[in-house]
C-alpha cells in the first residue's frame, strides 16, 4: 500500500465571499451529455461552481475523470448505474483543485488511481491501494476505445500538477481547466501554475487535435450554448482572443497606466463577451492578474 497525500488546492470561487459558501444539493444538479461512444460529460451544476466530470461507461467497467465534489458522488454513482455502466475501475483528475478532485479520496481503495508524472511527484501521504503513473503518457485499452493519459510538456501550467486525457477513437480531448468555455481562465500561480506554461501547454493540446476533435472544457459555458465542447478551430480562436486581451493589458502597462487606470480604461468591445453573465474571472480581475504576473 502506498501512502500519498494529494494536497487539494484552494478553489477559486464565483464571488469573493463564496469562498466560505457550502455546496447546497437543493441548488445543484447533474447535467449529462453524451460526447462519444460510451463517453459522457457530467456537468456538476452546483451553487458554487460548475466543474466537468468525464465518465467512460461500458457494461464491463467505468472510468471517472474529475470526480468533483464529494456531495455530488451519490448522484454520479446513480447516473453511472442508470447508464448500465460497470463498476468504476479507474479514477483520475485533470488537477487537484477542490471543485475537480475533492471526491478523489472516496475512490482510493476501490479503484486504481492513474496519475501523470507531475501529479505523482506532488503526492505525499495519500492512502491509496493502487496507483499508477508514467513519465510521458499512459495507454488504457478499453475494448474499441483507447484512453491516453498525458503529462504536459510544461509541469507548470494551470497548476503544478496537471494531466490531459485523450480518448483516441472517439477523438475526445479532456483538457480540464485549460478551457473555461466563453470565460477568462483561472491560472493558479500560487498552486504551481504559470501563464507562460499554461499557453505553451495549450499549444501541445492543439497539436494533438484535428478538425474533428471534441475539446471538453473543465468549466462549460454559463451561456446558452449549442455544444458544451468546442472544435480545434474554436479553441484556437478562443486562445488567440485571450492572448490579444493580454497584449492590450501589457500595452496599457507599458504606457505607464496604473492597475486602477487600466481597469478604468477597460478592454475593447471585442472582449466584452468574456465578461458577460456568470463567470469565474471578471474583466477587472483578468486585467489585475495579467498586469501583476506578466
Ligand atoms: Zn482548476
Amino acid at each position: 500500500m502506498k501512502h500519498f497525500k494529494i494536497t487539494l488546492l484552494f478553489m477559486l470561487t464565483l464571488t469573493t465571499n463564496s469562498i466560505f459558501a457550502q455546496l447546497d444539493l437543493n441548488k445543484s444538479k447533474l447535467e449529462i451529455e453524451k460526447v462519444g461512444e460510451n463517453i459522457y460529460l457530467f456537468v456538476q451544476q452546483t451553487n458554487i461552481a460548475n466543474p466537468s466530470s468525464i465518465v467512460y461507461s461500458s457494461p464491463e467497467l467505468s472510468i471517472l475523470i474529475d470526480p468533483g465534489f464529494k456531495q455530488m458522488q451519490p448522484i454520479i454513482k446513480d447516473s453511472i448505474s442508470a447508464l448500465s455502466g460497470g463498476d468504476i475501475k479507474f479514477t483520475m483528475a485533470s488537477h487537484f483543485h477542490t471543485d475537480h478532485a475533492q471526491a478523489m479520496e472516496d475512490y482510493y481503495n476501490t479503484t486504481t488511481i492513474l496519475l501523470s508524472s507531475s501529479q505523482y511527484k506532488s503526492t505525499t501521504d495519500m492512502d491509496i491501494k493502487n496507483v499508477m503513473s508514467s513519465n510521458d503518457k499512459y495507454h488504457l485499452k478499453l475494448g474499441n476505445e483507447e484512453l491516453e493519459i498525458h503529462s504536459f510538456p510544461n509541469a507548470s501550467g494551470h497548476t503544478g500538477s496537471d494531466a490531459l486525457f485523450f480518448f483516441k477513437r472517439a477523438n475526445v480531448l479532456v483538457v480540464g481547466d485549460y478551457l473555461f468555455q466563453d470565460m477568462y481562465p483561472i491560472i493558479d500561480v500560487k498552486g504551481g501554475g504559470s501563464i507562460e506554461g499554461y499557453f505553451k501547454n495549450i499549444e501541445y493540446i492543439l497539436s494533438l487535435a484535428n478538425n474533428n476533435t471534441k475539446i471538453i472544457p473543465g468549466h462549460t459555458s454559463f451561456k446558452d450554448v449549442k455544444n458544451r465542447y468546442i472544435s480545434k478551430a474554436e479553441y484556437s480562436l478562443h486562445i488567440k482572443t485571450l492572448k490579444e486581451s493580454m497584449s492590450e493589458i501589457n500595452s496599457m502597462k507599458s504606457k505607464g497606466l496604473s492597475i486602477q487606470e487600466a481597469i478604468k480604461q477597460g478592454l475593447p468591445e471585442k472582449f466584452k463577451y468574456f465578461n458577460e453573465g456568470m463567470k469565474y474571472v471578471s474583466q477587472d480581475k483578468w486585467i489585475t492578474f495579467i498586469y501583476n504576473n506578466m
Side-chain angles (χ1 to χ4, degrees), residues 95 97 99-100 158-159 177 180 186 219:
H95 62 291
H97 279 152
D99 53 341
H100 296 267
H158 171 63
T159 69
D177 283 359
F180 286 72
I186 292 168
H219 296 274

Side-chain angles (χ1 to χ4, degrees), residues 236-259:
S236 299
L237 179 64
H238 176 78
I239 297 308
K240 185 171 161 270
T241 313
L242 285 180
K243 285 182 173 170
E244 284 167 6
S245 75
M246 291 155 65
S247 303
E248 294 280 347
I249 297 162
N250 274 328
S251 90
M252 289 194 279
K253 189 176 176 178
S254 36
K255 279 181 196 147
L257 270 70
S258 67
I259 291 189

Side-chain angles (χ1 to χ4, degrees), residues 174-235:
V174 177
V175 304
D177 283 359
Y178 285 89
L179 176 57
F180 286 72
Q181 190 180 12
D182 298 335
M183 290 176 267
Y184 288 117
I186 292 168
I187 300 169
D188 187 358
V189 172
K190 287 195 185 92
S194 76
I195 296 173
E196 209 194 340
Y198 186 81
F199 286 97
K200 278 187 180 161
N201 286 344
I202 286 170
E203 292 305 317
Y204 178 68
I205 296 170
L206 286 167
S207 76
L208 297 171
N210 64 26
N211 292 339
N212 298 316
T213 307
K214 292 172 181 168
I215 298 170
I216 314 287
H219 296 274
T220 55
S221 180
F222 288 107
K223 299 181 173 82
D224 203 5
V225 287
K226 195 167 114 251
N227 288 317
R228 284 192 270 211
Y229 51 82
I230 62 173
S231 67
K232 180 180 183 175
E234 288 165 331
Y235 194 37

Side-chain angles (χ1 to χ4, degrees), residues 273-292:
Y273 187 71
F274 288 143
N275 198 42
E276 284 166 358
M278 287 249 280
K279 62 203 155 278
Y280 294 89
V281 178
S282 65
Q283 178 172 286
D284 293 0
K285 268 193 180 174
W286 181 245
I287 292 173
T288 306
F289 175 72
I290 296 300
Y291 192 103
N292 284 332

Side-chain angles (χ1 to χ4, degrees), residues 106-117:
D106 293 11
Y107 299 94
Y108 284 175
N109 291 312
T110 53
T111 76
T112 295
I113 307 291
L114 283 177
L115 301 173
S116 70
S117 54

